[in-house]
Amino acid sequence: MTAFTDEELQNTLAPDEARERPMWEEPIPLTGRRDLPAFPVHVFPTWLGQFVTAVAEETQTPIDLPGSIALSVLAAAAGGRAVVHVRGNWREPTNLYVVCALPPANRKSAVFALLTDPLYEAEKQLKAAMAPAIVEAAMTARLAKEAADKAATKAASADADRREELVAEAIGLAQTAESLAVPVEPLLMADDSTSETVTSLIAEQGGRLAVMSAEGGIFDIIAGRYSGAPNMEVFLKGHAGDRLRVNRQTRREYIDHPALTIGLAVQPDVLRDIAKVKGFDGRGLLARFLYSLPKSLVGEREIITEPIPDDVRATYESNVIALTLALAEWTDPAVIQLSPDADKALIAYQERVEPQLKVRGGAMGHISTWAGKLAGAVARMAALLHLAQHLDTGHTKPVTEATMCAAIELGECFTAHALAVFDVMGADPTVGRARAVLEVLRAEGWQEVSRRDLFTKLSRSEFPNVADLEPATTLLEEHGYLRSYQPERSGARGRPPAPRYRVHPGLRQVDA
């Protein structure tokens, strides 16, 4: 459905209606383009902010794109290896789900490559460091298996007086061989993998993994492209850190605290499509993402741009690699603490957000599932900014108030974009129904109309009964499209006449 602009309404006015115009003010669009803030790149440490800004300049892309991916890179480096202790028993992992939506031709792949290259280099270094241990463990396991097999063969052919002794020896060797595990090659990132593959990889990698892609194919996979049914268990638990069970033919594994990071750059249509997938919203998958919906620069880009300075790029690469390698050594996660002032800042932020979650009257009541996770997301981002600021000593220092305020600013930016994204997804059903009513009012060209007559022109699937009209017409009144009034009685007896609506003149059709 279409939300009409003031200019469109003006163009629909018939000459004889112009005199009526002063009686009506311009209506307020239902969900017009929101004024969305740009990504606050200044909240990053200098080395990271400089690189993000340089990438945006060279590629001529909105700062939101490299900024969002940079957050994902930090989360990929720290996720599963660090947690932030907020207060009491409240701890948050440091993995994030981030998605930036831009139309085609916005150089998403180029930006992704520039930001994620250091993660691949860190992965290579981890593999090289682990290679000798893998070879040694594999050889030890093979020799142990061969020794157990030989012992079993010997026991099977032994005389009765020695068989019991040799069987016990074979059993011991078999148990030893079975207990020897060969480490897998380190893997930091996967692309658009199936849910089953992601689950297996998280188990193999000690609980952490990142899915990074310049496409939105992962949503199709979660929705059941290959299985025929949505399979989102690992994506739900991988965000929250809830225990995950892996069932295999040979063994079962339990991942106590899985940490999955997702960083995506998709086309806006993908966001519209995923909102229609059964289960995505109801089970809370959509509520786990931080959304960015920047304005495309296509058509306004400069042709000759400043390249990324070599020193800025080198510093970015070395710092991301250093952070990744330093945290990779942690088996029990590093615990990041908040300073008292940082906690006070977060508490004040929570107190501002909480009233907005009310279903009735709350600015974020229609996206309360998403907004209810906002404080946790801010705590995670604060820890990531802290680790990026203190690459080697982050776990020895508490998060400062300034860092928490920077994370809160990021949270407010993502909130504005989330409201716009959920508008696109149609998260507020009242707005969608109000648009349907607007279409009928415009098509019929009524000057005024009864509720009953309006109801007869609307779809029963959207408006099963007359009472379902009230929230939509109330919203249209608040926005200046309708005015309700009570007609006078025509006689002394009988029921009072039903309320009627006067219609904004700008909604009336003009004959050609």
Side-chain angles (χ1 to χ4, degrees), residues 65-402:
L65 178 58
S68 298
I69 299 171
L71 265 182
S72 301
V73 168
L74 293 179
R81 298 297 184 266
V83 298
V84 55
H85 178 216
V86 183
R87 68 185 78 99
N89 292 316
W90 181 12
R91 290 189 176 192
E92 289 284 343
T94 52
N95 55 303
L96 293 175
Y97 289 6
V98 185
V99 57
C100 183
L102 276 168
N106 270 278
R107 299 166 180 162
K108 296 188 286 289
S109 296
V111 174
F112 243 91
L114 288 167
L115 269 296
T116 58
D117 275 352
L119 289 176
Y120 287 103
E121 178 58 34
E123 184 179 277
K124 289 180 183 177
Q125 294 187 27
L126 288 172
K127 287 181 179 180
M130 183 64 71
I134 293 174
V135 171
E136 181 180 350
M139 179 60 71
T140 302
R142 192 181 80 181
L143 293 175
K145 178 68 167 55
E146 290 176 354
D149 290 343
K150 288 179 181 179
T153 301
K154 186 176 180 180
S157 60
D159 295 336
D161 59 339
R162 294 202 60 205
R163 182 171 297 165
E164 184 176 349
E165 175 188 350
L166 293 176
V167 167
E169 181 181 345
I171 290 173
L173 290 172
Q175 289 174 338
T176 299
E178 184 66 24
S179 68
L180 296 174
V182 180
V184 297
E185 276 194 338
L187 181 72
L188 294 177
M189 292 185 295
D191 206 326
D192 292 339
S193 303
T194 66
S195 301
E196 292 75 14
T197 301
V198 169
T199 303
S200 296
L201 290 175
I202 288 180
E204 292 174 354
Q205 298 301 320
R208 77 151 166 185
L209 186 71
V211 175
M212 310 283 278
S213 176
E215 303 292 341
I218 189 66
F219 288 122
D220 292 335
I221 293 171
I222 300 172
R225 176 198 292 171
Y226 301 114
S227 62
N231 184 356
M232 61 189 81
E233 197 73 12
V234 66
F235 298 98
L236 297 175
K237 293 183 176 180
H239 180 273
D242 296 334
R243 183 175 287 109
L244 183 65
R245 175 179 293 182
V246 181
N247 293 317
R248 298 183 176 181
Q249 292 182 347
T250 56
R251 67 182 186 275
R252 292 183 177 181
E253 294 179 336
Y254 296 89
I255 309 168
D256 287 333
H257 302 291
L260 178 64
T261 287
I262 300 180
L264 303 173
V266 303
Q267 296 182 23
D269 286 347
V270 171
L271 298 181
R272 297 186 183 94
D273 292 341
I274 63 175
K276 302 172 186 176
V277 178
K278 184 178 180 181
F280 271 26
D281 191 24
R283 296 195 62 190
L285 181 65
L286 302 182
R288 284 162 164 76
F289 281 88
L290 298 173
Y291 298 96
S292 180
L293 191 65
K295 181 180 179 294
S296 172
L297 299 182
V298 174
E300 304 174 10
R301 297 176 293 190
E302 296 180 7
I303 305 304
I304 306 299
T305 61
E306 289 292 328
I308 301 171
D310 291 340
D311 60 329
V312 170
R313 182 168 185 165
T315 301
Y316 170 77
E317 291 176 348
S318 64
N319 284 351
V320 170
I321 292 171
L323 178 63
T324 305
L325 297 182
L327 290 172
E329 298 176 359
W330 289 77
T331 50
D332 294 330
V335 179
I336 310 301
Q337 303 287 348
L338 301 186
S339 69
D341 287 340
D343 189 33
K344 288 179 183 178
L346 182 59
I347 290 171
Y349 178 64
Q350 290 179 265
E351 290 173 345
R352 294 201 308 272
V353 169
E354 187 64 25
Q356 300 180 52
L357 307 185
K358 293 180 181 178
V359 175
R360 292 184 177 276
M364 294 188 286
H366 62 296
I367 60 166
S368 59
T369 305
W370 181 90
K373 300 180 184 299
L374 186 53
V378 165
R380 296 185 188 203
M381 290 188 288
L384 292 175
L385 294 177
H386 176 76
L387 289 170
Q389 185 71 49
H390 307 283
L391 295 168
D392 300 321
T393 58
H395 63 286
T396 67
K397 302 175 180 179
V399 175
T400 65
E401 179 185 12

Side-chain angles (χ1 to χ4, degrees), residues 25-31 474-482:
E25 295 181 356
E26 295 292 348
I28 303 169
L30 292 176
T31 54
T474 298
L475 182 62
L476 291 175
E477 281 197 76
E478 292 173 353
H479 283 252
Y481 290 101
L482 293 177

Side-chain angles (χ1 to χ4, degrees), residues 13 17-28 437-438 441 446-451 454 469-470 472-487 498-508:
L13 285 175
E17 291 174 327
R19 291 184 297 274
E20 189 182 357
R21 182 67 169 189
M23 299 172 58
W24 293 81
E25 295 181 356
E26 295 292 348
I28 303 169
V437 173
L438 273 181
L441 293 172
W446 289 310
Q447 184 172 353
E448 63 177 63
V449 63
S450 69
R451 185 168 60 175
L454 177 57
L469 256 178
E470 184 175 351
T473 54
T474 298
L475 182 62
L476 291 175
E477 281 197 76
E478 292 173 353
H479 283 252
Y481 290 101
L482 293 177
R483 292 177 184 171
S484 61
Y485 73 98
Q486 184 68 47
R500 295 178 65 84
Y501 301 106
R502 292 190 176 95
V503 183
H504 193 291
L507 291 178
R508 295 174 206 158

Side-chain angles (χ1 to χ4, degrees), residues 5-58:
T5 65
D6 295 342
E7 182 180 356
E8 289 172 329
L9 290 173
Q10 181 66 47
N11 291 338
T12 63
L13 285 175
D16 58 347
E17 291 174 327
R19 291 184 297 274
E20 189 182 357
R21 182 67 169 189
M23 299 172 58
W24 293 81
E25 295 181 356
E26 295 292 348
I28 303 169
L30 292 176
T31 54
R33 171 74 184 184
R34 296 176 182 267
D35 292 329
L36 299 180
F39 190 94
V41 70
H42 60 270
V43 304
F44 281 152
T46 301
W47 65 268
L48 184 55
Q50 287 180 342
F51 185 71
V52 167
T53 302
V55 169
E57 164 61 25
E58 181 177 306

